[in-house]
Structures are given as C-alpha cells and as structure tokens.
Amino acid sequence: MDKIASLCKRRGIIFPGSDIYGGLANTWDYGPLGAELKRNVKNLWWTTFVHRRRDVVGLEASILMHPRVWEASGHVQNFNDPLVDCKTCKARFRADHLIEERLGLAVEGKTPAQMSEIIVEAKLKCPNCGNATLTEARQFNMMFSTTIGPVSETGTQVYLRPETAQAMFVQYKNVVATGRVKVPFGIAQIGKAFRNEITPGNFIFRQLEFEQMEIEYFVKPDEAAGAFEEWLSAMRGWLRTIGVRDDHIRVREHEQEELSHYSSRTVDFEYQFPGSMGWKELYGLANRTDFDLSRHQEVSGEDLQYFDQAENRKYIPYVIEPTFGVDRTCLVLLIDAYDEEETIDVNGKPDTRVVLRLHPRIAPYKAAVLPLMKKPELAEPARRLFDELVSATGALIEYDETGNIGKRYRRQDEIGTPFCFTFDFDSLDDHAVTVRHRDDMSQERLPIAEVPAWLSERIR
Ligand code: ATP
C-alpha cells in the first residue's frame, strides 16, 4: 500500500489532503491523473447502470437535507461507532477495530458494554502510549453536523449526508409522479457522503469525505428476493467490466446480529487488500425492505404508497440497494493494476519496471503520441495524429516530446497508459507509426490512417 501511495503522489494520481499544511488526517485529493481515473469509473458506472438500463433513472440531490430525514432514517439514533478514549494520552479509537486487530475477534453487532468487557478481560492497552488506561466503550454518532444561518445558537442544525441513499427515498414520490417509471425501477445517484471516521491509515480506504454510487431499486415486496439475486450478479458483472481480479473478491453474507437496523439481508463484496489489511468491504448489497419509505411516510405525513395499476392495489415497495464506493473502487483498481517487473534498461543494466496494468476503459490516458525527437518536422504530423485521436475517441490522449524515448515509455507505464504511438523519421516516408504495448512492451508498425479506429476499438 505504501508503494502505491507513493506512486500516486509522485505521478499526480492522489495527494494527501491539505498537504502544504501537514495534511488533514483521512482526507485525500485526486490529482490530475486521479481525477481522470475517478471520472472514468463514475462515467462507466453511470453508462452501465443508468443509460444501458430502461428501469433505472438518475438523481442529483443536495448534500444538506431536512434534519428530520435523519430522524426518520434512524441515523440520529443508530449511526454510531463504539469508541474508547485513552485517559493518559487522550487518543481515541474504534473499540471494534481495536478488538478485531489485537485479538482477531469479529465483534460487529456486539453492544459497547460487551466490547468493554472483552477489552478489560484481554487487558488491552492503548495502541498509542501503551498504558492500560482505556475508558469504557461509548456510542459516538458519525454524522458531521453544521448550522444553517449566521448565528449558531438560533440556526438550524443540519447534517452532511452520511449516505446518498436517503435522497432517493425522499424524492421517490416526485420521481413516480413524473410518470416515467413503474415498479420495478431504480433511482441511481453518484455523490459525496461524509462520516466522522476515527480509524486512520490504509490510504484512501476510509475517509471523512468520500463518494458513493448507489441505486435504490423499488420492487413488489414478494419480488425482493429475486431482485436481490439479479443485483448480486449485476455487481459481479461490473467488477469484471472494470477488470478487477476474480480471485481477489469474495461475497460474504452478514450474520443476523450484524445486519443494519434497516436490512433483512446484506452481503458484502470483500476485496483481499495487501498486507495485514486482508479481506475488507468493497461494496454492499442490502434488502432494505420497506423500512425507509415507511419511516418517511410516518415522519413526513406524506402517502408514499405505490399504486400498482396492473394489480389495482396500493403497497409500499421493498428496496434492494446495491452500493459502490467510488474511492474504494479506485483503490482496488490501483492495487490490482500495480506490478513490478525485472527487466533491463536502455543501457543494458538490470532494472525494475513499475507498470500499472489498468484496463484501457479505466486508464487516465488512453494513449500517448510520442515524436521520437523534439524536431519540428516530426512535431507537426505527430500533433496532427494527436488531434485526430482526440476527436475520434473523445478520450484523454497524452502528447510528450521531451526526453529520451525509453524514459517516456516508463513514465507512461507508471501511469497506466495502455498504448504509445511513436512517430519517427521513417513515419515521414511510410506513413506508419510504432505502437508500443504497455503490458508486454511489444511493438508493431501501424499505418497512421488506421490508428484512430484501432485505438477506438481497444478502449471501448
Ligand atoms: P465499513 O464497514 O468499511 O465502515 P460500511 O459498512 O459502513 O463500511 P456502507 O455504509 O455499506 O459502508 O457504505 C457503502 C459503501 O461506501 C461501502 O461499501 C464503501 O465502498 C463506501 N464507504 C463507506 N465508508 C467509507 C469511508 N469512510 N471512506 C471511503 N469509502 C467508504
């Protein structure tokens, strides 16, 4: 993970948040290439689950919502993490993470009192200062709050949303009223969510501010189990589309006591992260039943029943929710893609080649156009090829004419550019370029006229 974090910083993929001020824990910024990677993930997801499906529509809702939304959803009451403080050094930790890491016990679903008992019995010490001075575990709400209005005493307290899902429930009635959807249908959204996470580390895995891609899929109650299975397989299909390795993924069913307050069945898609991190949640799929719509109906007083014309009856739909973390997707793509290869450099010396084997669909740059040397007679036609590629593919293409060609290839390898088109002096006569493949460094000659179609086909 350290190697990936350092490559990300060196190559402008991901920087620590507020870096020149010494950083702000658990915040990260996507640099020029990371912004492209992330955008590719989100665009592909939207195309896959909204544009290509006739039963899913999109939504872009506000991050700030009426405070009663979070009472209705149960987040004010239930969205808590069990925390312990150290009386000596004042550091704060997640009780469940501490127990899991130190004792290897899974404690999800246990009460703070039960966790405190385990901590006392095992004589767990503060990971920061080493003293056995940890407090009892207490529940701590993870929502960030802020105040609307100029004066905090008289203003309205609101929360930064901890999930995008609630907006789909709150706007469900408006979406149905526009008349373009019939159960079963889904509402999809990509957007920021905020959680006051305590446990640091593991690069971008756990952040205070992150993005989710979520679908709330509204179904007839007796069709919920079948829809769950369909989404399970659609989520597997998505992982294949973005090129995540199958053997790094497992699907884990939640135990009864682990289920969230709204869920009757949940599975996690877990990814095998490197080193001590091991298997951790990448995505989730939950049957939220009619919990959210029923609660919003109760608290808002609005009738949220669906009138099923075919059956001539009203009911509150059940909801199947596939949820995908954007940042965790980027992280596993980087981990899966990262490779070091022993090779020889241009001077014949042993060398390590770092290569990001990102799927061409996801890679920030789809290709690079490289004139062999910085000469006007090469630059002019190479620039023309670059312009043609940009307009043919609509994708981000790199143009780089400085430095030795071997070093330029290595730079493209490190940022995951799948193809380089090298324009040399022969190109002026044979109207062809050399295509250099990132993954095996093989080279072939291709007529310039064929390059735009050749590339379009490979990045689609
Ligand atoms: P965890 O158990 O790791 O805290 P969670 O079960 O709380 O995750 P969900 O509430 O199911 O997560 O959120 C849906 C998705 O949002 C997760 O599968 C994950 O991809 C992403 N996610 C959740 N919390 C964070 C975070 N703090 N930083 C980055 N991504 C997150």
Side-chain angles (χ1 to χ4, degrees), residues 195 197 204-207 210 212 214 281-284 323-325 327-328:
R195 296 182 188 179
E197 301 271 12
I204 59 171
F205 179 78
R206 191 176 297 285
Q207 301 175 68
F210 55 98
Q212 293 183 317
E214 295 195 299
E281 175 175 340
L282 169 61
Y283 301 148
T323 172
F324 307 71
D327 308 85
R328 286 189 192 174

Side-chain angles (χ1 to χ4, degrees), residues 427-446:
S427 306
L428 298 173
D429 300 323
D430 69 358
H431 306 289
V433 284
T434 299
V435 186
R436 190 259 191 188
H437 294 256
R438 173 197 69 197
D439 287 342
D440 58 4
M441 298 191 280
S442 64
Q443 305 195 355
E444 60 183 303
R445 204 77 182 158
L446 199 67

